Amino acid sequence: MKINVTLPDGSIRQYDQGATAMDVAKSISEGLARNVLSAKVNGEVRDASRPLPGDCSLALLTWNDAEGKSTLWHSSAHLLAEAIEALFPGTKFGIGPPIENGFYYDIDPGERAISDADFPAIEAKMKELASKKLTFSRTEVSKADAIKYFTEKGDEYKLELIEGLQDGQITFYTQGNFTDLCRGPHIPDTSFIKATKVLSVAGAYWRGDEKRKQLTRLYAITFPKQKELDEYLVMLEEAKKRDHRKVGKELDLFTFSEKVGAGLPLWLPKGAALRERLINFMKTAQEKQGYQQVATPHIALKGLYVTSGHYEKYGKDSFQAINTPQEGEQFMLKPMNCPHHCEIFASRPRSYKDLPLRFAEFGTVYRYEQSGELHGLARVRGFTQDDAHLFCRPDQVKEEFLKVIDLVLLVLRALNFQNFEAQISLRDKEDRSKYIGSEENWVKAEQAIIDAAAECGMKTVVEYGEAAFYGPKLDFMVKDALGRKWQLGTIQVDYNLPERFELEYVGSDNARHRPVMIHRAPFGSLERFIAVIIEHTAGNFPLWLAPEQAILLPISDKYLDHCRALSASLKDSDIRALVDERNEKSARRSAMRNSPKPRSCSSSEKRRPATAPLA
RNA sequence: GCCUUUGUAGCUCAGGGGUAGAGCACUUCCUUGGUAAGGAAGAGGUCCCGGGUUCAAUUCCCGGCAAAGGCUCCA
């Protein structure tokens, strides 16, 4: 009896019953066999050493496949666990999955604390075990046996995991002295793991629940070649150099003060000027689309947020009310601009002919963030949104939404972002208690976003549970230098706040109607946006944004006057120029960093007209 | 908020129970016509803050605050 195996190129080969993916690899080439990490059989990733189930399609997975990498990292997690168990006996284990870059294992080392001082020992142990060429053997076990094994081992985390599994579908994998509950698959043996680096240690709640015990999470990464690890570490170093917190300091853009408070950025002159340029860019684009600027105060009576629903939702987790000394009034720092803008809409009767109304404000808002969440400019407690609220008729929603998408894409293009992701953020599928408003309104709003995104042909991903409490969102996500994802622009369709604020306009039928609101912020916040463009450009801003568009470097004092004249002339043409008058060579060089167009100046240059185009 | 780590000159960092250290930056003078470092001299510190142990604490212990990496959260 032979089985037919269909390979990715469409060719069909015949093998004996019971042949493994590894056998197939060997029959193709020795080199391939040496590199096979796992195999995709009829679309399911499995051990390369498992017998094929019969006629099937087969793709051999190597380090060049994402799934191959995951297999190696998953096996590496088991190796990490074995090393931990050897070094710190009695450690209990949570889960240890592969992730985008490497893998982690959540462990409970009991009384002992694991710190980065332990990393070298762990790495050495992993390396030692890897070189033993231990195979990963798969065993199917009954639920009772599985429970027995981990009860004897005293590992309550694994027992909890087993509880959630079906009898008959439980497998163990064993390599060397370590056996783990695992559905697999794994690499053929540990010798494929040639380079190992434990990256960091962090706390992580068991099953992601902050009410449960906090385990110790070890992040690590492995490679099949030492050279690849070295390159990865170099890449991490390079990414660190782009960190906006570091570059922002070097460029004198912003600072923080312990006296002012954590998460409250102080913008230095160059940073403030950068903000101004972004604001003007946005104002110009918005004026073309018929927006009107409004301005509102930084505090409002608590009642405003009771009306909007923000108080009920976030009141406990916000900065607390400010009380007046005599009258006993309670004011809140504004966390959002939308309630204020609703009141502007409500300030007078509106006709259908007035709509859409587009109120824009670079509004600074304040939100309490847990101290551990603060992160440079990307997560702060006070920030400025390029906010606007569009009040429109139901029949105008789609067109307005599409125009906002244009605006967001204009921003992303102007700053040369190619790798952004458009995310449709919908309600949680199960828990609807987190949201205000009627089912009918939500369905309308969600459909409006889905339709608009589809109509402009944008590639999107759908995330459930990511909606705001008053409406669904279209969020634009980008990654920072270290691969962390941040939300920048956002567009939200909202049928609920107009209802809560009882907003109305008079229709052509002379009856009162409820407008629909679109919340939108193409930058998101200036703070986070600037953080991301710093990392995106490594501080080398596009010319229109750069703090200094031209720096003149006289090579001797003899040319100072000429440089000053040249600089004045450039300034007359609205080019931000400065003369670096410092005498040290080193100063000249350091000034050249992060300047898009450094120019040196001497007699040969002097012959050219001062308005010569910047080369 | 929770876990781990860190806090010394403007920056990057070394040090260590008994007058505080380096490199770069800064100031002054000299030198200089060329793309990452010309020379000399000088100034600069509450060693994060508060308690404790000690004859003596920047160093050891406890508590705050801030920062880094995660977790949970994010209008």
Side-chain angles (χ1 to χ4, degrees), chain A residues 233-290:
Chain A
L233 294 177
V234 168
M235 193 275 290
L236 278 188
E237 286 303 312
E238 290 302 311
K240 268 191 203 160
K241 287 184 196 159
R242 302 170 82 99
D243 191 312
H244 76 274
R245 294 165 297 187
K246 182 179 161 66
V247 176
K249 192 180 227 175
E250 286 165 1
L251 297 185
D252 288 325
L253 298 179
F254 60 90
T255 189
F256 289 92
S257 151
E258 290 192 16
K259 282 208 181 75
V260 172
L264 298 169
L266 306 177
W267 288 94
L268 304 172
K270 284 180 186 175
L274 181 64
R275 283 166 60 100
E276 283 301 312
R277 286 191 282 281
L278 287 169
I279 287 171
N280 289 334
F281 169 82
M282 185 58 66
K283 270 188 184 160
T284 305
Q286 287 178 167
E287 268 163 28
K288 283 185 194 157
Q289 286 200 6

Side-chain angles (χ1 to χ4, degrees), chain A residues 411-580:
Chain A
V411 166
L412 294 171
R413 265 201 306 275
L415 288 144
N416 205 21
F417 283 110
Q418 263 110 35
N419 292 322
F420 61 86
E421 188 173 84
Q423 171 182 309
I424 299 178
S425 301
L426 304 179
R427 280 175 298 175
D428 195 300
K429 275 181 171 168
E430 282 103 43
D431 184 5
R432 292 280 155 100
S433 66
K434 298 190 275 190
Y435 308 101
I436 60 168
S438 68
E439 177 69 21
E440 186 200 350
N441 282 347
W442 270 92
V443 170
K444 267 194 282 187
E446 291 184 338
Q447 201 55 49
I449 289 188
I450 292 165
D451 290 349
E455 184 156 323
C456 69
M458 206 162 36
K459 223 179 93 194
T460 54
V461 295
V462 174
E463 289 288 340
Y464 292 92
E466 293 295 315
F469 75 94
Y470 50 74
K473 308 190 285 179
L474 180 63
D475 292 326
F476 291 81
M477 321 289 289
V478 298
K479 285 182 182 173
D480 71 10
L482 291 169
R484 289 174 293 219
K485 232 198 246 182
W486 296 98
Q487 178 198 309
L488 289 184
T490 179
I491 317 174
Q492 306 164 11
V493 178
D494 181 5
Y495 285 81
N496 290 314
L497 287 191
E499 214 159 280
R500 297 179 76 99
F501 280 90
E502 300 180 324
L503 303 182
E504 292 176 333
Y505 64 90
V506 177
S508 58
D509 56 359
N510 202 28
R512 291 172 184 279
H513 298 275
R514 189 126 288 161
V516 183
M517 242 175 122
I518 296 174
H519 309 238
R520 39 108 287 167
F523 291 145
S525 85
L526 288 171
E527 283 72 12
R528 181 177 291 176
F529 192 79
I530 289 173
V532 172
I533 54 177
I534 288 172
E535 305 207 349
H536 186 63
T537 62
N540 299 304
F541 298 114
L543 195 56
W544 68 278
L545 269 185
E548 290 106 17
Q549 292 176 312
I551 298 178
L552 300 164
L553 308 174
I555 55 165
S556 140
D557 289 350
K558 279 191 253 173
Y559 304 100
L560 267 178
D561 286 343
H562 176 62
C563 282
R564 287 176 188 145
L566 191 55
S567 154
S569 166
L570 288 167
K571 278 178 188 158
D572 284 344
S573 313
D574 280 335
I575 290 165
R576 295 183 290 279
L578 78 85
V579 181
D580 188 343

